[in-house]
Amino acid sequence: MNASLKSALLCTALCLPLAALAQVSNPGFESGDVSGWTVQTNGLAFPIEVVSGTTVTSAGTINPSLSDDFYAFTSQSGPGSSFLAQDFEVQPGVNRIFFDIAINNSVSDYFVPDPLSFDFNAAPNQQARFDILVPGAALDTVDPADIIVTGFQTMPGAPLIQDWTRYDIDVSAELAPFEGQTVTLRFVQVDNQGFFNLAIDNLSVGTRPPPGVDSDALPVPIGSLGWLTILSLLMVMFGLRFLRNQSPGY
């Protein structure tokens, strides 16, 4: 077998699963801290903590994460806001966002100002959300033109205690105009009514979550992986046929 061709085929095959996968730094906080993330806390919000196992806070109890390892969470001693964000370059093809969230809201409801505001000194404001922001947007922006898509938000009437829940959001269409550009994944938690925890774990971006993160996620049809992946598969198929037709030798 031609060694160079064998190596090329192996490399192509190994690269296939990564065709539409964006790099996320420290996605499950397994470094034991928030390295790789942009963090901002305001008012009486405590620094965002990274822990594992069961955590008891003034807002309630956070159970061990779905992957039973490290996770990050917000907490406070009074009104404040917390931001946790990370930039990533949009890849062609399928872009699904995966993350786990748990929530403890110690008051009677959620409060979301209209128009949107993260000001914890003004009207009742008790909320959590996940947004994808346009390139160059400010971390605390509330301008609708800066928000490509909102993948999660607490609304009045929603359960006050939410145990760990896994989210799978297909944002391929929304991110297609930003292919090759750097956008921002942003988690926000604001409170001025009472104690509030937003816990986050296992963020990933791509066609499917990393192995072991979500065994229930359905595989993505080959037609949605983009022409680059299809071309790579054809290269592998024709390469293998070529090798089968060669005479044994060195």
Side-chain angles (χ1 to χ4, degrees):
M1 180 183 292
N2 184 296
S4 298
L5 181 57
K6 182 179 179 181
S7 297
L9 289 173
L10 178 61
C11 179
T12 300
L14 290 175
C15 288
L16 285 177
L18 303 179
L21 183 65
Q23 294 297 316
V24 178
S25 178
N26 195 18
F29 306 99
E30 297 314 306
S31 64
D33 56 25
V34 290
S35 59
W37 293 79
T38 298
V39 179
Q40 178 179 304
T41 55
N42 306 295
L44 296 177
F46 292 137
I48 293 176
E49 296 183 63
V50 175
V51 299
S52 61
T54 300
T55 302
V56 178
T57 76
S58 297
T61 298
I62 305 173
N63 292 323
S65 68
L66 294 176
S67 48
D68 198 21
D69 50 20
F70 287 103
Y71 57 88
F73 76 95
T74 66
S75 60
Q76 56 286 136
S77 62
S81 60
S82 300
F83 297 82
L84 187 64
Q86 187 164 160
D87 294 343
F88 82 98
E89 183 178 311
V90 178
Q91 303 298 306
V94 174
N95 278 287
R96 290 161 64 191
I97 308 290
F98 305 90
F99 54 85
D100 300 343
I101 279 181
I103 286 177
N104 291 322
N105 180 10
S106 67
V107 299
S108 61
D109 206 348
Y110 297 98
F111 298 89
V112 182
D114 184 16
L116 178 64
S117 171
F118 299 145
D119 185 355
F120 53 87
N121 290 313
N125 201 337
Q126 192 90 354
Q127 61 172 309
R129 58 188 289 132
F130 166 77
D131 302 304
I132 303 179
L133 307 180
V134 298
L139 182 62
D140 59 353
T141 184
V142 294
D143 186 343
D146 288 338
I147 301 175
I148 301 171
V149 62
T150 297
F152 169 84
Q153 62 182 135
T154 53
M155 298 299 292
L160 303 176
I161 307 299
Q162 301 181 39
D163 202 0
W164 285 104
T165 302
R166 187 153 288 162
Y167 291 85
D168 173 353
I169 305 165
D170 190 336
V171 292
S172 304
E174 291 86 352
L175 292 183
F178 299 93
E179 182 179 315
Q181 300 182 56
T182 298
V183 299
T184 301
L185 306 173
R186 177 185 71 178
F187 294 93
V188 185
Q189 182 265 304
V190 187
D191 59 273
N192 64 9
Q193 301 298 295
F195 298 113
F196 193 138
N197 301 136
L198 170 65
I200 304 162
D201 196 14
N202 294 325
L203 172 71
S204 64
V205 184
T207 60
R208 55 180 59 83
V213 171
D214 189 354
S215 59
D216 296 327
L218 296 176
V220 179
I222 184 64
S224 63
L225 293 181
W227 287 109
L228 177 61
T229 304
I230 294 173
L231 179 61
S232 299
L233 285 171
L234 290 174
M235 290 173 60
V236 172
M237 293 169 60
F238 283 116
L240 291 174
R241 176 175 292 184
F242 173 81
L243 291 174
R244 284 198 298 268
N245 292 334
Q246 300 304 300
S247 301
Y250 297 99

